[in-house]
Amino acid sequence: MPDKEYKPAPKIVAKEQEINLTYPESGNLHRRLIETVSSGIFLGDAQGKLSYVNHAFVEMLGRNTKDELVGVNFFDTLLSDPREKEDFIKKLYESGCARDFQFQHRHKEGHRMVISVTGNCIYNDRGEIIGFEGVLQDITAQKRLEEELLAEKRKLEQILAFDEQISTIREYNQLIDFIVEKTAVLLEAQKCSLMLLDKEGKGLFIQGAKGLNEQVIKESHIRLGEMVAGYVAQSRVPMLVKNIEYDERFKRASRPYYFTRSFMSVPLTLENKLIGVINVSDHVKAKSFNEVDLRILGATAREVAIALENMELYKQLNYLTITDPLTLIYNYRQFTQSLNFEIKRRQRVSGNLCLILIDIDGFKAYNDTWGHLEGDALLKEISKIFKSQLRETDIVCRYGGDEFAVILPDITIDGAKIAAEKIRQAIEKTRFKMPVTISLGVAAYTQGLTQHEFILKADRALYESKREGKNRVRAHS
């Protein structure tokens, strides 16, 4: 990234007899402030020799006293990289200032720090540089967070770059079906099952299968350590069984869901995390699986493990993109998409559709009285009440700061008014830090309305509710 272009800062001019680079505290100006701030403050002469540092500067660099730093050269002490040193000095002395110049510094205890420095030259009344002053900030934690976010970004990029076929699948069931079908084809197997670890982490269940009876799939639940799949999951060691009935490790006849004598099972793991097991049996050519087949299944298992993990990440990311992080209900983006979908559905198939817009009465006063944290808590609690009082099919969204919207599919205007009154009463009866009420505007969709017109219709009803005294429901059919 190219360096920022800095405009020269206004020159700090001081008469030589009025400035004391060695004892800047002698004037007692701002001393208390400078010594108590968390930023490192420093002062040096034109050659970079430090004449003053505050306590934060000393602590930031892991020193014990100011004496350890006063008298040393700022450029040599902090800027160990010659290129960084040259760049900083050039910016400082050519333009008179260097803002937010970032560099790495090794702490006295050995760990690496990332420091941001802003420095300004000090001039005498003849325009000559006689010193410089500045502020240090330890931004190590900030940089670490940025690196973590960058790592997450790279992870997302890996999801997009993953196997061309699997990366296009966004439906979980479709992915499961694809996995068992693809694995069966690759290994010429009549049967394939994908078993995942249960929530308790003590057993396996069949999530997807090819060639197995539906009843077997539903009833199968294997504890870790039991049978071939359970043993493989527990040991995390791939297993090739050429004849399950006579294998010394598993002296038993085949169970109903092991119709084959040759069987392979490979654990699904990712970064030492057990996800499940993938199994294949019944070679289409009625022969035993061999070591080459096992290696192919192992390679497939790695791909499957990544795909399942990526699917979980995708689900989480998708949840974040459509959910308001504070209230955990749908956000404005999802509101517009859902409303658009419902309008198009009503244009294709006759039916009812209503919209409620809600505004919290006196929310600003609540915030001013109790503070923003309590205001946030109020928004969370109100969102929970809305969801508890409405149908599962109703779509509750945060429309704005203290405004909410509810999309009600397949309901008449009378039914929507009843629903609105229900949540109005629930809010009114709930005890908060102070009495809270809501105003609601209800509108019914009519053919030909655009999304914007539909929202305006509900908004006009909400306006009437507010104008008539708040804490009431008004509707436009």
Side-chain angles (χ1 to χ4, degrees), residues 423-472:
I423 58 178
R424 186 199 67 77
Q425 292 182 16
I427 297 298
E428 188 177 36
K429 292 175 182 177
T430 303
R431 298 188 64 177
F432 300 103
K433 291 283 186 180
M434 59 189 287
V436 173
T437 61
I438 56 175
S439 298
L440 305 96
V442 185
Y445 177 75
T446 53
Q447 286 296 331
L449 283 181
T450 65
Q451 183 184 98
H452 179 66
E453 290 168 340
F454 189 21
I455 294 172
L456 281 179
K457 190 176 180 181
D459 195 50
R460 284 195 293 269
L462 174 61
Y463 175 76
E464 290 177 9
S465 174
K466 302 285 281 188
R467 186 184 61 186
E468 293 176 15
K470 305 179 182 177
N471 190 24
R472 64 196 65 218

Side-chain angles (χ1 to χ4, degrees), residues 187 238-242 249 262 264 266 288-299:
L187 292 158
M239 180 72 68
L240 167 62
V241 179
K242 294 185 178 180
R249 296 166 295 183
S262 184
M264 289 190 300
V266 173
S288 297
F289 295 105
N290 56 33
E291 285 74 13
V292 174
D293 295 322
L294 185 64
R295 286 198 293 272
I296 292 173
L297 183 59

Side-chain angles (χ1 to χ4, degrees), residues 3 21-22 53 157 168 217 234 272 276 280 283 318 366 370 375 418 451 456-457 461:
D3 290 332
L21 294 177
T22 306
V53 294
E157 290 171 350
T168 60
I217 294 173
Q234 186 177 63
N272 295 321
V280 293
H283 199 287
N318 187 55
Y366 194 99
W370 299 102
I418 292 171
Q451 183 184 98
L456 281 179
K457 190 176 180 181

Side-chain angles (χ1 to χ4, degrees), residues 50-63:
L50 289 171
S51 54
Y52 167 77
V53 294
N54 68 347
H55 290 302
F57 190 103
V58 175
E59 292 176 359
M60 194 178 300
L61 300 185
R63 307 303 174 95

Side-chain angles (χ1 to χ4, degrees), residues 235-441:
S235 66
R236 304 192 184 189
V237 177
M239 180 72 68
L240 167 62
V241 179
K242 294 185 178 180
N243 190 321
I244 199 169
E245 295 181 11
Y246 303 111
D247 194 295
E248 291 296 323
R249 296 166 295 183
F250 305 97
K251 289 186 177 180
R252 60 166 180 78
S254 299
R255 297 290 178 89
Y257 41 89
Y258 288 143
F259 294 122
T260 181
R261 292 183 178 182
S262 184
F263 185 92
M264 289 190 300
S265 182
V266 173
L268 301 173
T269 59
L270 194 62
E271 297 179 355
N272 295 321
K273 173 187 175 183
L274 177 66
I275 298 172
V277 173
I278 188 165
N279 312 296
V280 293
S281 61
D282 282 4
H283 199 287
V284 294
K285 295 180 180 178
K287 66 178 184 178
S288 297
F289 295 105
N290 56 33
E291 285 74 13
V292 174
D293 295 322
L294 185 64
R295 286 198 293 272
I296 292 173
L297 183 59
T300 303
R302 288 190 291 274
E303 185 176 317
V304 168
I306 293 171
L308 290 171
E309 186 74 3
N310 286 348
M311 176 60 74
E312 186 62 29
L313 283 172
Y314 172 79
K315 286 161 61 179
Q316 293 174 11
L317 289 169
N318 187 55
Y319 174 79
L320 290 174
T321 61
I322 66 174
T323 307
D324 176 59
L326 176 65
T327 60
L328 301 182
I329 59 176
Y330 290 127
N331 58 20
Y332 179 79
R333 176 176 178 264
Q334 185 61 21
F335 163 71
T336 58
Q337 290 182 353
S338 298
L339 187 58
N340 185 53
F341 173 82
E342 293 297 336
I343 289 173
K344 286 183 177 179
R345 189 161 72 94
R346 290 284 68 86
Q347 291 170 347
R348 294 193 307 269
V349 183
S350 61
N352 296 304
L353 174 64
C354 288
L355 174 65
I356 304 175
L357 290 184
I358 307 165
D359 187 71
I360 301 175
D361 301 326
F363 182 69
K364 184 178 184 303
Y366 194 99
N367 255 346
D368 292 343
T369 304
W370 299 102
H372 290 289
L373 289 179
E374 286 297 334
D376 288 347
L378 175 66
L379 294 174
K380 292 179 186 177
E381 186 60 29
I382 283 179
S383 300
K384 290 179 184 177
I385 294 172
F386 290 162
K387 294 186 73 173
S388 69
Q389 298 296 318
L390 293 163
R391 304 172 301 172
E392 288 188 6
T393 54
D394 296 332
I395 304 167
V396 184
C397 310
R398 188 177 180 190
Y399 189 74
D402 61 333
E403 296 178 326
F404 297 83
V406 183
I407 303 169
L408 302 97
D410 305 312
I411 194 170
T412 64
I413 187 68
D414 290 334
K417 286 193 289 186
I418 292 171
E421 180 62 24
K422 184 180 178 183
I423 58 178
R424 186 199 67 77
Q425 292 182 16
I427 297 298
E428 188 177 36
K429 292 175 182 177
T430 303
R431 298 188 64 177
F432 300 103
K433 291 283 186 180
M434 59 189 287
V436 173
T437 61
I438 56 175
S439 298
L440 305 96

